[in-house]
Amino acid sequence: MAHQAGFVSIIGKPNAGKSTLMNALVGEKMSIITPKAQTTRHRILGIVNDENYQIVFSDTPGVIKPHYALHESMMHQVDGSIVDADLILLVTDIYEEYDEADVLKKLERSEAPLAVLINKIDQSDEETVKKKVEFWQEKLNPKAIFAISALHGHNIKAIMDFVIGNLPEHAPYYEKDALTDRNDRFFASEMIREQVFKQYKKEIPYSTEVIVTAFIEGEKLYRISAEIIVERDSQKNIIIGKNGEMLKIVGTYARRSMEEFFQQKIFLEMFVKVIPDWRTKKNYLKQFGYE
């Protein structure tokens, strides 16, 4: 049997459950997950390997109208993911109000086979799900429609079978033991950013970037230094908290996530730095890894 390999792009609006789906499909925590929208900023690859196939899943930022240079970079990553795709999984959910125009416009450029995934059906009823299926069948006539719960793993196997059934014949794109294209520094920074999203309210998480400045792998201990970048002094004060309490909470939970992820003891130190309006400045965005 010929080897199959291909790029499968997971596309959709913010908070549809794309990152939860990606983690469920890959079987590893590749993408950070929080209840807030626009948590994912980078395109992240998660790779599933088998003797006969290699699936390269691509979790992408939620499709939005850009307000900052940061948003523009995020949308370029979505565009790139659609261009590369051998197969597209459009993730919507039962709360969607049929206002997917921005997403559908991006999909017009693709000739890749499309599956629509209606997520969060565990929070719905049969009649609502049936109406959603009918709407998407008429709107897009996709190759398949799946009613799923990414959080509870419902219909994940059916999606995997569909993906494998539609992969092109191709040699592997990555080494067969590769899980992702991202390095350990990236995942360390994402675990800190995940806690920033979970511990702070309003604009703070969206004004924040995390840069790992040192990552030293010892035999018994990994030493990690990171900078949390914010846009204003007032945000710096909120991040640190009274007597450093808030920063301590972020550090504790981020360290626990890292120890579980890296299977290693972690020493983590964090500093907070102000770079005014970094989200609008392309030189900083480039420095922070945004294309």
Side-chain angles (χ1 to χ4, degrees), residues 70-82:
L70 170 63
H71 290 163
E72 287 168 17
S73 166
M74 287 158 63
M75 293 310 96
H76 286 320
Q77 295 183 56
V78 176
D79 294 339
S81 175
I82 290 170

Side-chain angles (χ1 to χ4, degrees), residues 111-153:
E111 291 175 18
L114 173 72
V116 174
L117 279 46
I118 302 163
N119 193 20
K120 305 181 186 176
I121 61 162
D122 53 301
Q123 300 169 26
S124 185
D125 57 76
E126 205 172 323
E127 190 55 35
T128 305
V129 174
K130 194 174 162 211
K131 282 181 182 164
K132 293 282 181 190
V133 170
E134 287 167 0
F135 169 80
W136 286 111
Q137 190 60 55
E138 198 176 314
K139 183 84 176 166
L140 289 177
N141 191 23
K143 196 152 189 184
I145 298 178
F146 296 94
I148 70 165
S149 170
L151 185 63
H152 297 289

Side-chain angles (χ1 to χ4, degrees), residues 5 43 65-66 167 203 236:
R43 178 182 176 187
K65 282 191 168 68
L167 277 183
E203 183 64 11
K236 179 178 178 176

Side-chain angles (χ1 to χ4, degrees), residues 31-244:
S31 295
I32 63 174
I33 302 162
T34 79
K36 293 185 174 75
Q38 294 174 43
T39 306
T40 303
R41 286 183 185 165
H42 295 271
R43 178 182 176 187
I44 300 166
L45 301 188
I47 303 166
V48 176
N49 289 297
D50 180 88
E51 192 182 336
N52 299 315
Y53 61 79
Q54 182 178 77
I55 310 168
V56 186
F57 287 107
S58 182
D59 183 18
T60 60
V63 175
I64 53 170
K65 282 191 168 68
H67 295 299
Y68 302 98
L70 170 63
H71 290 163
E72 287 168 17
S73 166
M74 287 158 63
M75 293 310 96
H76 286 320
Q77 295 183 56
V78 176
D79 294 339
S81 175
I82 290 170
V83 168
D84 291 346
D86 295 300
L87 189 62
I88 291 174
L89 304 179
L90 170 61
V91 183
T92 176
D93 69 33
I94 51 104
Y95 299 110
E96 198 47 64
E97 299 294 328
Y98 307 119
D99 57 352
E100 303 267 9
D102 294 351
V103 180
L104 300 183
K105 195 166 173 44
K106 286 189 179 296
L107 291 178
E108 283 171 6
R109 301 171 209 170
S110 172
E111 291 175 18
L114 173 72
V116 174
L117 279 46
I118 302 163
N119 193 20
K120 305 181 186 176
I121 61 162
D122 53 301
Q123 300 169 26
S124 185
D125 57 76
E126 205 172 323
E127 190 55 35
T128 305
V129 174
K130 194 174 162 211
K131 282 181 182 164
K132 293 282 181 190
V133 170
E134 287 167 0
F135 169 80
W136 286 111
Q137 190 60 55
E138 198 176 314
K139 183 84 176 166
L140 289 177
N141 191 23
K143 196 152 189 184
I145 298 178
F146 296 94
I148 70 165
S149 170
L151 185 63
H152 297 289
H154 179 71
N155 253 354
I156 296 299
K157 186 181 183 308
I159 298 167
M160 281 298 279
D161 291 344
F162 170 79
V163 168
I164 294 162
N166 286 277
L167 277 183
E169 288 186 7
H170 202 282
Y173 289 95
Y174 295 90
E175 295 291 333
K176 277 289 200 163
D177 58 356
L179 282 175
T180 181
D181 64 329
R182 296 287 182 175
N183 61 23
D184 287 349
R185 277 177 179 245
F186 174 80
F187 287 108
S189 71
E190 286 287 272
M191 282 175 235
I192 297 169
R193 207 165 61 80
E194 178 175 38
Q195 290 309 319
V196 171
F197 265 81
K198 286 181 174 176
Q199 304 301 335
Y200 301 95
K201 294 182 173 68
K202 296 182 181 170
E203 183 64 11
I204 293 288
Y206 301 102
S207 308
T208 304
E209 184 56 71
V210 178
I211 306 299
V212 170
T213 53
F215 193 111
I216 300 160
E217 296 179 27
E219 242 177 81
K220 294 182 180 174
L221 184 78
Y222 284 9
R223 291 180 175 276
I224 299 171
S225 296
E227 287 179 349
I228 298 176
I229 312 290
V230 292
E231 293 189 312
R232 297 191 297 277
D233 283 319
S234 58
Q235 293 168 345
K236 179 178 178 176
N237 295 336
I238 293 168
I239 291 279
I240 293 169
K242 191 178 178 184
N243 301 325

